[in-house]
Amino acid sequence: MTDVFAELRPVDVGMYLFYLALLLLAVAVALQDAVWFVPLLLSVVCAVVWFVARAQLGAAFSVNPEARHLVSTGLYAKLRHPIYVFGTGAFLLVLLALQGWSALVVWAILIPIQVIRARREDRVLAQAFGAEYEAYRASTWF
């Protein structure tokens, strides 16, 4: 467990704390209307998978696309960008619980941004790892 915390960077801690603050705020709001507990529960599930994906990425993590080494085990054996998928899901579901259906506007903006980021990362990794990355890419989703 100590190894997981050793790999955390300030950006990780900041994002996790921001998510937890939103989650606590959303729980307080959801207490007034129980229907919002469904997206909150789904958000927590996404957050747990997001945290696991970040731990599995280890030292290969970077804010800007870099090709440190190719991670293809754990969640990355099936999904090339689990941090984007589950991190975005965690934040968007907690926003849904906070703001209601109008939060879907945020989804419409954020999802294309994450897709662009993932494609940029794919290009960097393909350039660095060549055929190895193309084989990995062919065997995984997003």
Side-chain angles (χ1 to χ4, degrees), residues 10-108:
V11 69
D12 295 312
V13 174
M15 291 302 293
Y16 297 157
L17 291 175
F18 180 60
Y19 169 76
L20 290 174
L22 285 177
L23 181 65
L24 291 173
L25 184 60
V27 167
V29 169
L31 290 174
Q32 299 166 1
D33 190 354
V35 71
W36 298 115
F37 276 110
V38 173
L40 282 178
L41 177 63
L42 292 173
S43 175
V44 170
V45 170
C46 283
V48 169
V49 179
W50 166 37
F51 298 162
V52 168
R54 174 56 189 93
Q56 290 176 348
L57 192 56
F61 173 80
S62 65
V63 175
N64 295 317
E66 292 180 24
R68 295 180 181 167
H69 64 272
L70 185 60
V71 177
S72 58
T73 59
L75 293 168
Y76 292 87
K78 299 292 181 196
L79 194 61
R80 287 188 311 277
H81 305 286
I83 289 177
Y84 292 153
V85 171
F86 295 104
T88 301
F91 274 105
L92 294 179
L93 286 162
V94 82
L95 285 175
L96 180 63
L98 276 171
Q99 297 181 354
W101 298 111
S102 63
L104 294 179
V105 172
V106 176
W107 285 36

